Amino acid sequence: MKKEELIQKAYEIAAERYAAVGVDTEKVLETMQDFHLSLHCWQADDVTGFEVQAGSLTGGIQATGNYPGKARNIDELRADILKAASYIPGTHRLNLHEIYGDFQGKVVDRDQVEPEHFKSWIEWGKEHNMKLDFNSTSFSHPKSGDLSLSNPDEGIRQFWIEHTKRCRAVAEEMGKAQGDPCIMNLWVHDGSKDITVNRMKYRALLKDSLDQIFATEYKNMKDCIESKVFGIGLESYTVGSNDFYIGYGASRNKMITLDTGHFHPTESVADKVSSLLLYVPELMLHVSRPVRWDSDHVTIMDDPTMELFSEIVRCGALDRVHYGLDYFDASINRIGAYVIGSRAAQKCMTRALLEPIAKLREYEANGQGFQRLALLEEEKALPWNAVWDMFCLKNNVPVGEDFIAEIEKYEAEVTSKR
């Protein structure tokens, strides 16, 4: 029997099993088709970017490993992204940092960036049906230091305010060109290695900077703001903490970004979803895998990620949450890292959509704790993987482990040239 026939047969059995607990697998497949990840461009080149004057990676960020085949320029990076996308079912977006502009070999400081520096990206996105998202870039710059938007040096602070304003203008042009809002994420590394005795001062400065940045309203882009616990060399104090950005986002009606690596190791990011959605319009996810710290390991189908996606479905928030990836593992093949992480996130969403939520809510409403827990456990053994395989088959991408050999072949081709 051919593999396609086995997949079809397994799916038919799975559909019957799920129908018995009130789940329509065809509806799940339709919903998955509308599930779009924002692929992070920085996985392909270890957060190097294309600035002519680029320096070493700073801002409490570290990419570990030196695996061969790293993208060295804009053409190689684009080729790698398209190659990775060919193994990921569905249609997806691309998330760009400002340092990935098409600067044409010219020195363009960050307070001088213009939409023209991303014109070729906009055209490339249209050509490949890949809509764009955007990020300002505060790290890896001579004026970064430990403080950017919260810097008491007014000249440096205004430099970063101007940079971020210009990034919003770029995002607006991206959104206008693609007919769909470009989501622009604002994260700054600002913090201190040791004890800080004037925390209020820096947070007041950051608040003022954000108010200046967001003073201009746009129709074709959406702002999101991202917190962090700490960075390497900035362990004791983070200006843009979770509390700071929740307060700012709720008071200014801004989207909050939840990076799964930016919280304490035992903190549940899933538990934040329902609370935040009561007070802010939308959420952005940066899905990563922290191991002991914000180490940006490749996303896998682990419990925290599954819980996060389950909570989004349980909240009925599919239309209020946006999904991005954020890791940069330089210790393994980078295209493979894209594919593993992306497919893991999609698997988690598939599992979440297949949960027999109506029956579970009925048990909960009736106080039937035993029945609820029993069904939660039994549904883990239902054939969700058959539904996932069918999703891959319908999208003409490799099913199961078939993509491994194909990526190995591509790796051999590119590493001999790079």
Side-chain angles (χ1 to χ4, degrees):
M1 187 179 292
K2 292 182 179 180
K3 187 171 185 177
E4 290 81 2
E5 294 175 355
L6 288 172
I7 293 168
Q8 181 65 45
K9 186 175 182 180
Y11 173 74
E12 291 170 359
I13 294 170
E16 290 186 23
R17 292 284 306 279
Y18 275 106
V21 291
V23 177
D24 184 347
T25 57
E26 284 297 306
K27 186 176 180 180
V28 169
L29 289 174
E30 290 175 14
T31 304
M32 281 301 299
Q33 210 64 55
D34 198 38
F35 175 67
H36 310 291
L37 292 169
S38 193
L39 306 177
H40 54 312
C41 74
W42 49 96
Q43 165 58 32
D45 78 333
D46 311 341
V47 210
T48 302
F50 306 127
E51 289 180 322
V52 175
Q53 71 277 24
S56 59
L57 193 60
T58 67
I61 303 170
Q62 186 177 31
T64 53
N66 191 30
Y67 199 86
K70 169 184 170 180
R72 301 166 299 178
N73 54 56
I74 200 166
D75 291 331
E76 290 181 351
L77 183 134
R78 287 172 175 171
D80 286 353
I81 290 168
L82 290 177
K83 190 64 176 178
S86 71
Y87 301 118
I88 304 166
T91 57
H92 302 285
R93 303 169 72 94
L94 179 65
N95 198 6
L96 290 169
H97 250 285
E98 181 274 338
I99 57 174
Y100 288 83
D102 190 359
F103 300 118
Q104 299 289 318
K106 299 176 183 178
V107 175
V108 180
D109 211 349
R110 296 191 194 169
D111 65 341
Q112 299 299 315
V113 67
E114 300 278 359
E116 68 181 62
H117 299 123
F118 293 87
K119 183 179 178 181
S120 72
W121 275 114
I122 293 170
E123 293 170 350
W124 180 87
K126 285 183 177 180
E127 180 184 354
H128 297 287
N129 191 29
M130 190 171 282
K131 294 175 181 176
L132 305 177
D133 294 317
F134 201 52
N135 301 260
S136 55
T137 311
S138 67
F139 50 84
S140 302
H141 186 277
K143 292 186 178 179
S144 290
D146 292 342
L147 301 170
S148 60
L149 290 177
S150 64
N151 202 310
D153 183 316
E154 193 61 16
I156 293 177
R157 186 167 77 103
Q158 287 300 323
F159 174 90
W160 291 111
I161 289 173
E162 180 64 21
H163 164 73
T164 316
K165 285 181 176 180
R166 286 172 175 259
C167 286
R168 293 185 75 232
V170 171
E172 171 69 8
E173 291 304 311
M174 288 177 171
K176 189 184 300 181
Q178 65 196 19
D180 188 68
C182 172
I183 299 175
M184 195 195 106
N185 189 57
L186 190 158
W187 171 80
V188 293
H189 60 277
D190 297 30
S192 173
K193 179 178 176 62
D194 218 325
I195 298 168
T196 301
V197 297
N198 207 346
R199 295 174 181 236
M200 178 72 86
K201 175 181 179 178
Y202 305 113
R203 286 183 172 140
L205 286 168
L206 178 55
K207 175 176 175 289
D208 179 72
S209 295
L210 295 175
D211 285 343
Q212 291 186 50
I213 289 164
F214 296 137
T216 301
E217 294 187 6
Y218 291 114
K219 295 181 179 179
N220 299 288
M221 60 86 68
K222 295 182 178 182
D223 297 294
C224 51
I225 49 180
E226 178 182 1
S227 69
K228 193 169 184 176
V229 173
F230 76 99
I232 300 173
L234 303 168
E235 293 87 358
S236 293
Y237 170 61
T238 298
V239 184
S241 65
N242 185 47
D243 298 317
F244 174 89
Y245 279 123
I246 287 177
Y248 190 90
S251 64
R252 304 298 197 274
N253 202 37
K254 293 294 181 185
M255 189 187 313
I256 298 290
T257 300
L258 295 174
D259 187 309
T260 55
H262 286 192
F263 298 92
H264 291 287
T266 58
E267 202 169 357
S268 171
V269 179
D271 189 50
K272 303 178 186 300
V273 173
S274 57
S275 294
L276 287 171
L277 285 176
L278 291 172
Y279 300 102
V280 298
E282 297 172 272
L283 297 177
M284 179 74 197
L285 298 184
H286 279 187
V287 187
S288 178
R289 176 169 51 110
V291 178
R292 302 189 183 279
W293 57 286
D294 181 30
S295 48
D296 291 298
H297 285 61
V298 177
T299 300
I300 61 172
M301 198 177 177
D302 56 6
D303 288 344
T305 310
M306 287 192 288
E307 289 167 7
L308 176 60
F309 283 89
S310 291
E311 187 60 27
I312 292 164
V313 174
R314 292 170 183 174
C315 288
L318 291 174
D319 60 342
R320 295 178 62 194
V321 179
H322 307 272
Y323 311 87
L325 301 174
D326 188 0
Y327 52 82
F328 30 99
D329 190 337
S331 70
I332 63 174
N333 177 271
R334 293 171 183 81
I335 292 95
Y338 268 129
V339 178
I340 294 167
S342 300
R343 288 169 68 118
Q346 290 179 296
K347 289 174 186 176
C348 288
M349 180 55 80
T350 303
R351 277 282 307 269
L353 291 168
L354 288 167
E355 186 176 73
I357 190 66
K359 193 64 178 177
L360 288 166
R361 284 177 174 160
E362 178 187 328
Y363 286 148
E364 186 168 299
N366 294 334
Q368 295 173 286
F370 150 69
Q371 291 88 338
R372 179 184 59 189
L373 185 59
L375 185 54
L376 280 169
E377 282 299 296
E378 289 305 311
E379 66 95 11
K380 292 176 182 177
L382 287 173
W384 66 269
N385 54 309
V387 182
W388 162 253
D389 286 349
M390 178 56 68
F391 180 59
C392 290
L393 186 65
K394 283 178 174 289
N395 282 274
N396 298 310
V397 302
V399 178
E401 70 284 356
D402 289 354
F403 70 88
I404 298 174
E406 294 187 29
I407 291 177
E408 285 177 345
K409 181 179 179 182
Y410 180 75
E411 177 186 0
E413 292 173 357
V414 300
T415 52
S416 64
K417 300 174 183 178
R418 296 181 185 177

